[in-house]
Amino acid sequence: MNLKQLSQMLGLSQTTVSRALNGYPEVNRETRERVLQAVRETGYRPNKAAQRLATGKAGSLGLVMPTAPGHPSDVHFGEFLTGLGEEALRHDFHFVITPADPNDEVGALRRLAISGNVDALFVAYMRGHDPRLDMLKSLSIPFVVHGRSIGSEPDYPYLDIDNEAAFYDATKLLLQLGHRRFAVMNGPEHLDFAIRRKMGVGAALAERGLTLDEVCVTHTAMTDEQGLFAMERFLQLPERPTAILCSSTVLALGAIRIINQAGLKLGEDISLIAHDDVLPLLKPENFSVPLTTTRSPLRAAGVRIAERLIGQIKDLGSYPEQELWKAELIVRASTGAAPAG
């Protein structure tokens, strides 16, 4: 069934049906529901090319995916995309994913924006002083950033979690349990979230007159293998840390393997807190010793960013320009009192 046939069946003009499908506010609710019910019953799908000609909208969200030989993939990004997809599906929006060399993301974003194939962009993996922001702000296309860029003027639309506060709160809990020797397994050091998480740890330690020894900090891709390597190194230090903060449950998976191999007890000899992005295949409560975590659901962030972008494209209402979500500290058995000595 095409648009003309659907319009004839409903006794409405093609323009009215098209506007109802695309969420234009001048179409009343009763008409929109009638059109949507007919779509459900007939299985009608709009022709994207014709829809673009009629509305000037592509019905697509764009993102650039950095990739190159040796460039690590990220399980966390898949969970975020799932949330983005859930909301896009509700509005019959598509994704346009452009692979790009990690050193050419600015150019790739610009080319995607001017291609006419997308109505809006979203950007992730924010860095300090991120060079993509100035280019994005120069465009006439809507965009939302997942994260923030420390050192950049905070005048851009974003959704982020308060990474500094999350790791500040986690460190405070461990300090209250008597820990004094800390280590951090962090993400890549150029990424904004890693910078802020390290700042949160440092701020909490400074309140107790303590400092974070750089030999007890790693900056790596967030994989279980890297967590394993980092924990091996920490256990070889003259004074091994008793409190570990991990930027991901994936890092924690490798770290705990080494803790167990060393004959140490998690929550007794060593306490560990991981940042939990509610990964469905790696639930912190299902670890042999349930993990204390700072919880921030990536899928919900994906849903919210899609909601904001599509809402702006369709003029569905006003949305906050900037959102900073608070992470929740969930205390489980992987944290306990500091061991004596």
Side-chain angles (χ1 to χ4, degrees):
M1 176 171 285
N2 59 33
L3 180 63
K4 181 178 180 181
Q5 292 168 328
L6 182 65
S7 302
Q8 289 173 342
M9 185 185 83
L10 290 166
L12 299 170
S13 71
Q14 292 184 47
T15 299
T16 298
V17 172
S18 178
R19 287 178 177 273
L21 289 171
N22 286 283
Y24 281 76
E26 57 264 36
V27 178
N28 65 50
R29 181 178 178 181
E30 182 182 346
T31 300
R32 181 177 293 107
E33 287 300 323
R34 187 174 157 221
V35 170
L36 293 176
Q37 181 61 33
V39 165
R40 287 189 289 269
E41 291 173 354
T42 62
Y44 169 79
R45 284 291 178 267
N47 179 290
K48 285 292 180 182
Q51 185 182 46
R52 181 173 166 185
L53 286 172
T55 66
K57 304 294 184 184
S60 297
L61 305 177
L63 68 135
V64 167
M65 183 179 71
T67 185
H71 188 76
S73 60
D74 184 6
V75 64
H76 308 84
F77 194 55
E79 184 68 4
F80 173 81
L81 281 180
T82 300
L84 198 80
E86 284 179 9
E87 186 66 13
L89 183 62
R90 289 204 321 114
H91 297 274
D92 197 27
F93 262 64
H94 293 175
F95 290 158
V96 176
I97 301 177
T98 299
D101 186 283
N103 297 316
D104 186 39
E105 284 190 69
V106 171
L109 278 166
R110 183 184 293 110
R111 292 189 293 273
L112 183 56
I114 66 177
S115 69
N117 293 325
V118 299
D119 301 311
L121 297 170
F122 80 91
V123 181
Y125 299 113
M126 296 304 292
R127 302 144 198 165
H129 304 278
D130 200 300
R132 294 171 293 178
L133 284 173
D134 285 341
M135 187 278 298
L136 287 165
K137 288 186 284 189
S138 72
L139 300 173
S140 57
I141 186 171
F143 72 93
V144 172
V145 166
H146 183 214
R148 286 175 291 167
S149 175
I150 197 164
S152 299
E153 190 68 27
D155 58 349
Y156 51 89
Y158 66 74
L159 184 150
D160 196 11
I161 66 165
D162 195 337
N163 285 291
E164 185 173 354
F167 272 50
Y168 173 88
D169 291 344
T171 304
K172 287 276 284 187
L173 171 64
L174 291 164
L175 286 166
Q176 289 164 5
L177 291 168
H179 293 273
R180 294 296 180 270
R181 299 194 300 275
F182 284 74
V184 178
M185 295 183 191
N186 213 345
E189 61 184 338
H190 65 285
L191 295 181
D192 181 89
F193 77 82
I195 296 170
R196 294 182 192 270
R197 289 175 187 177
K198 185 179 176 184
M199 288 170 55
V201 176
L205 291 178
E207 291 179 358
R208 296 289 187 92
L210 302 173
T211 57
L212 181 62
D213 191 338
E214 287 300 321
V215 76
C216 292
V217 180
T218 60
H219 291 282
T220 65
M222 294 194 294
T223 66
D224 61 333
E225 183 180 49
Q226 292 297 336
L228 184 151
F229 293 155
M231 198 69 234
E232 280 185 328
R233 187 167 71 78
F234 292 155
L235 292 186
Q236 292 169 3
L237 294 173
E239 282 194 304
R240 72 172 186 235
T242 64
I244 312 293
L245 294 117
C246 295
S247 268
S248 169
T249 50
V250 184
L251 282 168
L253 186 66
I256 291 167
R257 190 177 307 154
I258 295 301
I259 291 171
N260 291 337
Q261 287 177 10
L264 300 172
K265 292 185 177 180
L266 188 63
E268 296 181 22
D269 301 307
I270 292 183
S271 288
L272 185 147
I273 299 178
H275 184 68
D276 166 36
D277 288 307
V278 198
L279 301 175
L281 299 179
L282 199 60
K283 294 183 179 295
E285 61 270 28
N286 292 341
F287 277 64
S288 56
V289 176
L291 295 186
T292 296
T293 57
T294 52
R295 175 184 287 169
S296 174
L298 272 170
R299 186 177 295 205
V303 169
R304 180 56 175 169
I305 285 178
E307 181 182 39
R308 283 176 53 178
L309 287 171
I310 294 169
Q312 190 171 352
I313 293 163
K314 289 188 168 186
D315 195 23
L316 298 179
S318 60
Y319 296 87
E321 182 80 351
Q322 299 174 336
E323 294 179 80
L324 188 62
W325 289 1
K326 175 80 171 172
E328 185 180 4
L329 181 60
I330 310 294
V331 179
R332 300 189 181 93
S334 69
T335 46

